[in-house]
Structures are given as structure tokens and as C-alpha cells.
Amino acid sequence: MYEPPTPTPAPQNLIDRLGLPRPLLWGFVGLLLFMIGDGVESGYIAPYLRDHGGGTATGAAVIITVYGAAVTAGSWLSGALSDVWGPRLVMMLGLAVWGSMEIVFLAVALPSGNYPLLLLAYGLRGFGYPFFAYGFLVWVLAGSPPHRLGSAVGWFYFAFTGGLPTLGSLLASGSEPLIGEYATLWLSLVVVVFGGVLALVGIRNAQGGERLAPPEVSAGRSIVNSVAIIFSQPRIAVGCLVRIVNTAPQFGFLVFLPDVFSKDLHFGTAGWLQLVFVLGAANIFANLFFGVLSDRLGWHRTLRWFGCVASAVSSLCLYFVPAHVSGQYWVAVLCAAFYGITLAGFTPISVLMSLMAPGQKGNAIAVLNLGAGAATFVGPLIVAVFLGVIGPGGVAVVFTALYVLAGVSVRWLTIPDESRQAVEEERTLLDVAGATPGT
């Protein structure tokens, strides 16, 4: 199985040493700010909608469900449209949709309490962040040096998850007591627009932002191709399944672990929420580490051993170890951090998906994003089916088995000769020129 060649000596430039593609630097900064703004509302939007137009918890849940459906659709379309429109235009569209729908939501829908308008404005805004963020992901994969793709993707997920929900929720926790919930939502709009403009202006001349597909491919054809590629290239379908397995257990754990940790283990709701924060914080920094490591150790090896196999172990630890040493909160903290770290071992799946379909990079990423969206309901579905039959421990074992199967499946994520040669040719040019990676 192909692995990337051993890189040349470490670069002298600090940005290169960190694995950041220099032409895309401001894109990462802008993405972080954009996702901070998007994540501001994550901690209180459900009760806020209930009290300001949703009417009931069910009414608020419907609004959020429509939003989630738009996010899933936008995640898929972002890759397919990036192929024919170019990542730059898709990002611009995402920023425009997010900003315009948020203005309608805040200036008209909320003050009037108009439920259909709330549903429409908040729902359509769901297309905004996937278009912007995943459009930038396609740009990163198209414009980064092939041998540094793991590092670049690691930085993408660092910015993405660092903003949503981690730093976004932190910003809200500081602003809400000072200016209130409604004004905090306006603040989020300012942060999103600033971050979006900063990214688009800062990387306007960077390679990879224009159309990626051949001239004869239309937008409709690209969308069809983003589905057809699953059948024409089975390894892309396998990659989608591996991406689903990446976070499906995480979303499943969030369904039943709150009761386990807060009630059964007597850590309380606050204790559980702190564990969620630890898991997320560990994952953020691990994304960087495994991104860089995968460029050196190999994308397949990192995905199989540090992603799939390690997540199988950590998922067992997350449930069984704290239960075995009941009352030891620090043990639960370590297990949560361990699980968050191993989830980041899946970072190379984005690199592999982009290289497995030369000429259809956007479509491959569309399928990858579809897997990310599907994980949000596959995990809870598994819990709904098995929890009453085999209990929480049995569900944890099911999740472990999924990670093991994903590890076995990595063998089919092969890179075609065309992509392999591109990486090898770049390495040769670097050696001949005496250049260093990332320059």
C-alpha cells in the first residue's frame, strides 16, 4: 500500500515548520473566526428559540432539525459545487447566505415572533457554514503541497473545531452576562462577517480557488457525479463509511452517556459538561498532531492505528473504566481526553479521499462531507436500536466493533497511480531544487 515519501529536512520558516501552507494562512485565521461566530449560539439556541417564537420545545426542535438538514445538504453540495464554481465562489456564497439569513432572523423573524419566518431564515442559514468551511477544505486540498496535505487538513480541523463549539461557546459565556442573549447573536454576526471577509481577501491569490472540473462539466452534472462516484469508484464509498464510523459513536455516546456520568456515577450535569469540554479540547490539538504525524508516518498507517484501532480501545475505556473505578472523576477526565485524541486519528481520511479520485476532488470531498453529516444520525440510531436490548455497555461494544471494521477497511483506500506520481514528482523537484517542504 502506498505511503507518502519521507519528507526532506524540516523547513526553517516557522509557518512551514508548523505545517501551514503559507498562501492559505489567512484562510485558516478567517475560518477560525467564522466558526467562532457560528458557534456562539450553540450553548443556548434551543431554549432561546423556544422562548422567542418557537412556542414549545417541540417547535424549537423542528427549527433546529430543519437547520440540521440544511447543514447536511450544504455539506454535500459544497464539494460538488466547488468542482464547477471553484472553492472561492462557494465560500463567498456561504458567507452571503449566512450573513443575509442571520439578518432576517435577528432583525425580522425574532422581533415579530413569526414562526414560519423563523423556520425559513434559520433553516436556510444552515447552508452557510458548510459552503464556507467545506469550500475552504476543498481549496486546502487543491492548493496545498501533496506531501503536506495531512498537516494542512489538521490545521483545517483545528480551526473548524476550535471555533465550533469550543471558542464560540466561550465567547458567549463572556458576552451573554454583559450584553444579553439577543445582542450576543448580533455579535456573532459581526465575528462571522469579519472572519469571512478576512479569509476571502487574505487568500484571494492563492492557488486552488478556481474551477477544478473540466470545462464541459456543468453544476448539475457535478452534483450527479458526486453521487455516481460512490458506485463508479467503490473505494470512495468505503471512505464515506469510514468517515461515518469516525464520529457516529461520538454522537451516539452523547445520547446515553449524560445519564451514565451525571446520575449513575454521580458526577452531576456540570461534571458531564466538563467532560465534554475536555473531549473537545483534546480533539482540537490532536488534529494538529496527527495531521503532521500522518505526513511522516503515512496516511494509511495513521488512520488505521491511531484512528480506527485506538478509537476502538478508547471507546471501551470511555464507558467501562470510569464505571469500574466509580467515584474517581480524574479517571473519567483521562478517558474523555483519550477518546477525543483518538478521534483526531481519522484526520488523514480527508487526504486519502481527495487523492483517490483525481479530477474529481470536489466530488470526493462531497461524499466525505456526506459521511460527516450521516454520522450525526447513524450514531443515535444505533443507540435507539440496541440500548434497550443490550444496555449501554453493549452499545459501547458495538461502537468498538465498528471502529475495528473501519480499521480493516483502510486496506481498500488505495491511491491511484496518477495521485501517487504527483506526490513523488513533487518530492523529486524539491530534492533537485534543494527546497524544503511547504515553501
Side-chain angles (χ1 to χ4, degrees):
M1 182 176 293
Y2 172 70
E3 298 293 349
T6 302
T8 49
Q12 296 180 355
N13 185 278
L14 177 61
I15 294 176
D16 296 330
R17 192 181 298 276
L18 292 173
L20 271 166
R22 273 184 280 172
L24 296 173
L25 173 62
W26 289 110
F28 292 101
V29 176
L31 175 65
L32 175 62
L33 292 172
F34 187 103
M35 298 313 298
I36 287 175
D38 187 78
V40 160
E41 65 186 34
S42 59
Y44 69 89
I45 191 62
Y48 189 82
L49 286 173
R50 180 196 63 207
D51 299 335
H52 297 82
T56 64
T58 300
V62 170
I63 295 175
I64 294 174
T65 299
V66 172
Y67 172 82
V71 168
T72 301
S75 299
W76 164 52
L77 290 173
S78 62
L81 295 178
S82 290
D83 248 7
V84 292
W85 292 350
R88 185 195 321 277
L89 182 56
V90 173
M91 290 178 67
M92 293 173 63
L93 180 60
L95 177 59
V97 168
W98 204 105
S100 60
M101 289 299 101
E102 183 74 349
I103 290 174
V104 174
F105 174 68
L106 294 178
V108 183
L110 278 177
S112 67
N114 186 318
Y115 186 81
L117 189 57
L118 281 170
L119 192 66
L120 178 66
Y122 194 77
L124 288 178
R125 205 202 76 189
F127 285 96
Y129 98 68
F131 275 19
F132 184 87
Y134 293 132
F136 180 59
L137 176 59
V138 176
W139 198 334
V140 168
L141 291 168
S144 300
H147 68 288
R148 302 300 297 272
L149 283 173
S151 304
V153 171
W155 276 105
F156 170 84
Y157 284 110
F158 175 85
F160 185 96
T161 58
L164 176 67
T166 311
L167 294 180
S169 297
L170 185 63
L171 175 61
S173 68
S175 65
E176 190 275 333
L178 296 176
I179 61 177
E181 294 174 335
Y182 182 65
T184 294
L185 292 176
W186 280 105
L187 174 63
S188 72
L189 173 63
V190 173
V191 176
V192 163
V193 171
F194 179 73
V197 172
L198 178 65
L200 289 168
V201 172
I203 62 175
R204 62 188 182 280
N205 297 321
Q207 176 185 351
E210 305 305 326
R211 179 187 177 98
L212 304 175
E216 66 273 11
V217 178
S218 65
R221 173 54 59 185
S222 181
I223 292 173
V224 171
N225 289 345
S226 69
V227 176
I229 194 174
I230 297 176
F231 303 97
S232 63
Q233 300 195 41
R235 59 189 171 209
I236 296 295
V238 174
C240 181
L241 292 175
V242 171
R243 179 60 185 88
I244 291 174
V245 172
N246 177 192
T247 49
Q250 178 186 6
F251 289 109
F253 278 134
L254 292 175
V255 174
F256 69 89
L257 284 188
D259 282 341
V260 171
F261 282 100
S262 64
K263 297 179 180 179
D264 298 347
L265 298 181
H266 308 293
F267 293 144
T269 301
W272 160 247
L273 292 176
Q274 290 168 9
L275 290 178
V276 174
F277 174 79
V278 168
L279 190 158
N283 177 257
I284 291 171
F285 291 99
N287 281 323
L288 288 180
F289 174 77
F290 285 119
V292 175
L293 178 68
S294 67
D295 285 332
R296 290 159 172 74
L297 181 63
W299 300 313
H300 291 91
R301 294 191 190 98
T302 302
L303 175 60
R304 177 183 292 113
W305 297 109
F306 293 98
C308 302
V309 175
S311 291
V313 175
S314 66
S315 60
L316 287 176
C317 291
L318 182 62
Y319 175 78
F320 287 104
V321 174
H324 181 69
V325 291
S326 181
Q328 301 297 317
Y329 187 72
W330 66 272
V331 173
V333 169
L334 291 179
C335 290
F338 181 30
Y339 184 61
I341 290 171
T342 60
L343 287 177
F346 280 82
T347 296
I349 186 63
S350 298
V351 178
L352 294 174
M353 288 286 277
S354 71
L355 293 176
M356 285 192 295
Q360 298 190 68
K361 193 181 296 288
N363 289 330
I365 298 304
V367 176
L368 177 74
N369 295 339
L370 181 63
T376 63
F377 64 84
V378 169
L381 177 62
I382 291 174
V383 175
V385 172
F386 290 104
L387 185 62
V389 180
I390 57 180
V395 173
V397 172
V398 170
F399 288 155
T400 298
L402 288 177
Y403 282 126
V404 172
L405 290 174
V408 174
S409 301
V410 171
R411 64 177 297 184
W412 288 291
L413 302 181
T414 55
I415 299 176
D417 290 341
E418 181 179 345
S419 296
R420 183 178 67 248
Q421 290 171 0
V423 178
E424 292 175 344
E425 287 173 1
E426 185 196 16
R427 168 65 191 281
T428 300
L429 290 173
L430 288 170
D431 288 342
V432 170
T436 54
T439 58

